[in-house]
Amino acid sequence: KAGVTQTPRYLIKTRGQQVTLSCSPISGHRSVSWYQQTPGQGLQFLFEYFSETQRNKGNFPGRFSGRQFSNSRSEMNVSTLELGDSALYLCASSWGSRQGATEQYFGPGTRLTVT
Amino acid sequence: KNQVEQSPQSLIILEGKNCTLQCNYTVSPFSNLRWYKQDTGRGPVSLTIMTFSENTKSNGRYTATLDADTKQSSLHITASQLSDSASYICVVSAYASGGSYIPTFGRGTSLIVHP
């Protein structure tokens, strides 16, 4: 069974530009979550999508947005990039059960560098 | 504010020795606690998931404990191997609306195993 895939793996952008990252979950998984990881702040929750609906959102500015398609693939977009957005962006997928704790599987991440 | 504190920040041990990592949290309402292992440059991999009613969970040489009364968890690694060198992250999730969860991450413990 294929794992979670993220594209691209590496990206360099300039301040003020926008960027779109893609995540393909494990087949059958309906929940996709996005996280930002930086040396200064560690891992932080961005948002979660389940069945094409944003179910939860972390404490990030509106420049960070996402969406999920009917095949559960998800994209996240960051507009008006700032230097502080340089980070490893991770997505994770799970069955998305409404009860109990379900296993989350992480992708390898997209390393974004903003110059 | 939900918080997760991990200690120690870093740890160096000799191959074959045991070690214990700590996680203290103030997360409410508590849903579950997870331990992840993250190798450098890779996405986190789940080791254990525990809900409120579970106080011990094992995964091979990894054993996690949870004391919901004192809001503490520990991860015990037995007979360490060089491949155990990684960052170990404690994640505590709170219930949110719609049957989903909001995760709060610890900053991780960096473990180095020397031969």
Side-chain angles (χ1 to χ4, degrees):
Chain A
K1 199 178 208 183
V4 178
T5 58
Q6 292 187 245
T7 57
R9 292 293 313 278
Y10 303 92
L11 204 49
I12 300 175
K13 289 286 189 178
T14 305
R15 269 181 302 176
Q17 288 186 315
Q18 74 161 9
V19 67
T20 299
L21 312 181
S22 180
C23 172
S24 293
I26 291 172
S27 178
H29 285 189
R30 296 168 66 191
S31 169
V32 173
S33 299
W34 287 90
Y35 304 90
Q36 181 195 66
Q37 186 172 32
T38 61
Q41 298 294 325
L43 268 161
Q44 294 181 280
F45 171 68
L46 280 158
F47 28 65
E48 183 209 1
Y49 286 87
F50 179 78
S51 293
E52 301 179 65
T53 300
Q54 186 180 88
R55 196 154 65 166
N56 271 312
K57 191 178 190 310
N59 191 24
F60 277 81
R63 299 185 298 106
F64 292 82
S65 63
R67 59 178 176 168
Q68 187 180 33
F69 302 96
S70 58
N71 61 358
S72 293
R73 190 178 70 84
S74 177
E75 289 181 347
M76 68 161 280
N77 183 276
V78 188
S79 62
T80 320
L81 284 166
E82 301 177 359
L83 294 179
D85 296 333
S86 294
L88 180 67
Y89 290 89
L90 292 158
C91 86
S93 75
S94 69
W95 293 106
S97 167
R98 287 177 169 258
Q99 293 183 1
T102 55
E103 193 79 46
Q104 267 201 330
Y105 297 86
F106 281 81
T110 294
R111 172 74 61 186
L112 172 65
T113 302
V114 182
T115 62
Chain B
K1 180 184 177 185
N2 290 336
Q3 287 187 313
V4 176
E5 302 286 340
Q6 289 188 246
S7 61
Q9 188 174 352
S10 61
L11 184 62
I12 300 174
I13 62 174
L14 291 175
E15 187 179 13
K17 297 296 186 182
N18 303 336
C19 66
T20 300
L21 314 180
Q22 300 290 344
C23 173
N24 297 339
Y25 63 92
T26 53
V27 172
S28 181
F30 177 87
S31 169
N32 62 79
L33 185 147
R34 306 165 188 243
W35 283 94
Y36 285 96
K37 177 188 178 190
Q38 185 175 24
D39 293 312
T40 302
R42 298 195 165 204
V45 173
S46 178
L47 295 175
T48 62
I49 304 172
M50 288 183 291
T51 56
F52 186 86
S53 58
E54 298 172 296
N55 46 30
T56 302
K57 205 73 160 302
S58 290
N59 178 0
R61 295 180 296 102
Y62 301 100
T63 300
T65 64
L66 172 64
D67 186 332
D69 291 332
T70 61
K71 294 183 168 54
Q72 295 180 325
S73 175
S74 65
L75 180 69
H76 186 74
I77 304 174
T78 304
S80 61
Q81 300 176 358
L82 298 179
S83 59
D84 292 331
S85 295
S87 179
Y88 291 84
I89 302 169
C90 175
V91 186
V92 185
S93 292
Y95 283 110
S97 60
S100 62
Y101 315 93
I102 299 277
T104 301
F105 291 83
R107 299 300 300 275
T109 292
S110 177
L111 174 65
I112 298 174
V113 180
H114 278 166

